[in-house]
Amino acid sequence: FLYFPEAHGISFRIQITVKDLLDTDVLLKLFFHLPINYPSTLPDISVTSEQLTRAQCMDVKDKLLEQAKKHLGDPMVHDLILWIQQHLKDVIKQSERVCSEKTTLSKGTSTEDGIWVLLLHLDHMRAKAKYVKTVEKWASDLRLTGRLMFMGKIILILLQGDRSSIKEYLILQKTSKVDVDSSGKKCKEKMMSVLCETEVQSQHKRFQTFEVKEYSTLEELQTEFEAAGLTTLFSEFVPPLLK
């Protein structure tokens, strides 16, 4: 159990061992972020496990949020943990059934169902190679596309994907030790700014991949935004970073 006090609520991680369909032990790592007005507001939840697929982890998260809605207004974390301990097998069984029924067409319909764009500004990266590799892995695991962009001292992360994946990325970014401090010890990202988090508009184009790119000039960076139909996003949030 790890506890992270924050200005906008608290975050903590709980690890539990649960049995799967074959009665094999599954280690679930549950991240909870409780906003200041919890339990009147639902917590943000992230689920990871080396024994489950990414899709199964997402299904577990979705089911926990469904249960959370039933407890809105009352403390619920303990009840959610008890619930998943009792129902993990059912969730996995349902997840496998849905997975087998999916067709290649499902990919097309999901992109139309609420794609969001997220723009983050990072102050610095001391352990750049490790940090970049971590961001690439998260984007891949959550099926997010976009860019990690370097231009002089400016570091931006631009992501597109399902809103649930965008929210999960934010939890990982805030609660994971992604960098090192001045003494070389691993630390969480404390100097990240969320510049924009909004639903993709019709004029926006989807990035097909996630790439790490460096730009020599502001014009090059602007061209990248324009290619994705994000000119307004660029003009509103990026130039002020140079002041």
Side-chain angles (χ1 to χ4, degrees):
F1 178 94
L2 293 174
Y3 170 79
F4 311 106
E6 295 180 1
H8 302 292
I10 61 169
S11 295
F12 54 90
R13 179 170 61 191
I14 297 173
Q15 296 189 168
I16 58 173
T17 301
V18 193
K19 297 290 186 181
D20 66 6
L21 294 173
L22 301 175
D23 280 330
T24 305
D25 284 342
V26 171
L27 180 63
L28 283 183
K29 300 176 183 178
L30 308 175
F31 291 85
F32 290 89
H33 172 72
L34 309 184
I36 290 176
N37 47 357
Y38 167 86
S40 299
T41 301
L42 291 177
D44 285 323
I45 303 173
S46 175
V47 180
T48 57
S49 174
E50 294 179 2
Q51 287 83 30
L52 300 180
T53 65
R54 184 76 240 158
Q56 288 172 332
C57 287
M58 292 290 281
D59 286 337
V60 170
K61 181 186 117 172
D62 290 343
K63 292 298 183 184
L64 284 173
L65 286 173
E66 281 181 21
Q67 292 301 311
K69 290 175 183 175
K70 299 176 182 178
H71 296 278
L72 203 57
D74 297 312
M76 63 187 76
V77 173
H78 181 66
D79 289 320
L80 295 179
I81 292 169
L82 290 177
W83 187 88
I84 198 59
Q85 286 177 322
Q86 295 167 5
H87 294 89
L88 179 66
K89 290 183 180 182
D90 296 329
V91 176
I92 293 176
K93 195 180 298 180
Q94 185 178 356
S95 178
E96 290 179 351
R97 185 166 61 249
V98 170
C99 185
S100 67
E101 292 170 356
K102 280 185 177 178
T103 66
T104 52
L105 290 174
S106 66
K107 206 169 191 178
T109 55
S110 66
T111 57
E112 296 166 8
D113 187 23
I115 297 303
W116 281 61
V117 61
L118 174 71
L119 181 62
L120 305 175
H121 173 238
L122 303 181
D123 185 73
H124 62 271
M125 286 183 180
R126 285 196 174 93
K128 183 177 177 180
K130 178 182 177 295
Y131 205 131
V132 169
K133 190 174 181 181
T134 300
V135 171
E136 287 180 311
K137 183 180 187 307
W138 288 343
S140 174
D141 287 348
L142 294 169
R143 295 179 187 147
L144 297 171
T145 59
R147 300 286 184 268
L148 170 52
M149 303 180 281
F150 297 90
M151 200 285 292
K153 292 185 177 180
I154 293 178
I155 306 171
L156 298 171
I157 300 176
L158 179 62
L159 298 169
Q160 293 174 324
D162 296 336
R163 189 179 187 187
S164 60
S165 296
I166 291 286
K167 283 192 169 292
E168 185 160 356
Y169 179 92
L170 272 173
I171 293 173
L172 289 170
Q173 183 80 52
K174 291 175 181 177
T175 60
S176 303
K177 292 186 176 181
V178 289
D179 206 1
V180 296
D181 60 20
S182 55
S183 62
K185 292 177 63 177
K186 292 181 180 179
C187 66
K188 297 197 293 290
E189 178 57 71
K190 297 178 181 176
M191 301 184 72
M192 176 192 77
S193 302
V194 179
L195 300 181
C196 181
E197 182 184 356
T198 186
E199 191 166 8
V200 169
Q201 303 302 310
S202 57
Q203 71 269 26
H204 297 171
K205 300 172 185 174
R206 280 298 300 274
F207 287 113
Q208 297 303 308
T209 58
F210 181 83
E211 298 177 26
V212 180
K213 300 183 76 170
E214 303 212 10
Y215 307 85
S216 304
T217 65
L218 189 63
E219 288 73 25
E220 285 183 13
L221 188 59
Q222 184 173 353
T223 300
E224 187 77 81
F225 277 79
E226 289 174 349
L230 299 170
T231 305
T232 304
L233 192 71
F234 174 86
S235 58
E236 185 174 350
F237 296 104
V238 181
L241 299 174
L242 295 171
K243 295 176 182 178

